[in-house]
Amino acid sequence: MALEISSVSSVVFAADGAAVLRRLSGTSAAGAVGRELPSALTSGPTPPYVTSVDIYTASAALLVAIKVGTAIRDSLSALAGALETADHEPLVSSTTALTIDGTRVSRVNVHAEASILFDKIDTLIAANTFNFSANFISSSSGNILIQTSRYGGGLEIVPQPLDAQGLGLTGLTLLSSTDIDRGIAIVDEALFRVERRLINLESLQRNLGQLGAPGQALSRAINRQGDTLPLGSLVNLVA
């Protein structure tokens, strides 16, 4: 049984995205955004710092963030299915012969796979930091000020965290029947948060409009991985 984000695909994806984002750091601000944005994007706790970025960098970073978020959603969906299996005592007892991908199904194995998955999610999100500290999907990022020709010249965006901390997945234990029941509820809530935050990010992407030449460069970088990285395919799940 394996619940994982493909290490090769995710590293290549993150490297391509980060490389293009670094090249965008000197791009001048331009463009405008509409005024219909979810409140979760524009209001929240006062951040310890704000990073200012141009609209092209923001657009390219959002493209990366949304693809990573889709992969995280798919991974958590697979984990939810594994937890449902682990919730049935006869299927995970020491006497069962039930296996998935050659590995016997047990709560211990599900717990171990979940821990590895959360670590990989956090690593992938950290790899998509741009302008040194800005990250649309990290709990550790401050707000991001997108330079635009409206909103007085800038729009301050609250990150939509998709890491383990932001999704309430830290410290999750899955070793007993009670743990599994609690874990099912926690992962279901995390999936709800991912869906809502992806919707918020997609709304922002629409409002930012066309990516422009720099953003298109990032699209081409990602599309070079076309055979292994269609939308949502960063996740390599065997279950």
Side-chain angles (χ1 to χ4, degrees), residues 209-232:
Q210 298 297 318
L211 288 174
Q216 289 170 5
L218 178 58
S219 294
R220 288 193 296 272
I222 293 172
N223 288 334
R224 283 199 302 271
Q225 309 302 322
D227 292 339
T228 57
L229 290 174
L231 184 62

Side-chain angles (χ1 to χ4, degrees), residues 6-227:
S6 169
S7 58
V8 175
S9 294
S10 61
V11 168
V12 171
F13 179 85
D16 279 338
V20 176
L21 290 176
R22 282 195 297 271
R23 291 198 296 272
L24 294 181
S25 60
T27 306
S28 60
V33 299
R35 297 181 180 273
E36 297 298 326
L37 288 173
S39 60
L41 278 171
T42 55
S43 63
T46 302
Y49 53 86
V50 176
T51 301
S52 179
V53 300
D54 62 79
I55 196 169
Y56 293 126
T57 300
S59 295
L62 276 171
L63 179 64
V64 176
I66 291 169
K67 285 183 176 289
V68 170
T70 301
I72 291 170
R73 180 194 62 198
D74 293 347
S75 295
L76 292 179
S77 293
L79 175 58
L83 290 176
E84 291 292 344
T85 299
D87 197 34
H88 295 280
E89 190 71 38
L91 297 180
V92 295
S93 71
S94 59
T95 60
T96 185
L98 178 64
T99 63
I100 297 177
D101 193 34
T103 301
R104 190 180 71 78
V105 175
S106 73
R107 291 182 182 129
V108 172
N109 289 339
V110 172
H111 174 83
E113 294 287 353
S115 296
I116 293 171
L117 173 63
F118 299 157
D119 287 344
K120 289 188 175 182
I121 286 173
D122 286 349
T123 298
L124 182 55
I125 287 178
N128 284 282
T129 299
F130 59 100
N131 279 38
F132 303 104
S133 60
N135 194 318
F136 280 108
I137 52 176
S138 172
S139 296
S140 62
S141 176
N143 286 5
I144 300 166
L145 181 66
I146 301 175
Q147 302 162 12
T148 72
S149 59
R150 295 184 184 175
Y151 300 99
L155 175 66
E156 187 172 323
I157 295 298
V158 178
Q160 306 292 296
L162 299 179
D163 47 23
Q165 178 182 340
L167 296 178
L169 296 169
T170 55
L172 186 61
T173 301
L174 302 169
L175 298 175
S176 70
S177 177
T178 301
D179 292 338
I180 293 294
D181 288 340
R182 178 173 174 270
I184 289 172
I186 290 174
V187 172
D188 283 348
E189 174 63 23
L191 276 167
F192 175 78
R193 292 180 182 180
V194 172
E195 291 286 1
R196 295 305 306 169
R197 290 168 185 175
L198 276 173
I199 289 172
N200 291 341
L201 293 171
E202 289 165 351
S203 175
L204 177 59
Q205 187 182 51
R206 286 193 298 272
N207 273 269
L208 292 180
Q210 298 297 318
L211 288 174
Q216 289 170 5
L218 178 58
S219 294
R220 288 193 296 272
I222 293 172
N223 288 334
R224 283 199 302 271
Q225 309 302 322
D227 292 339

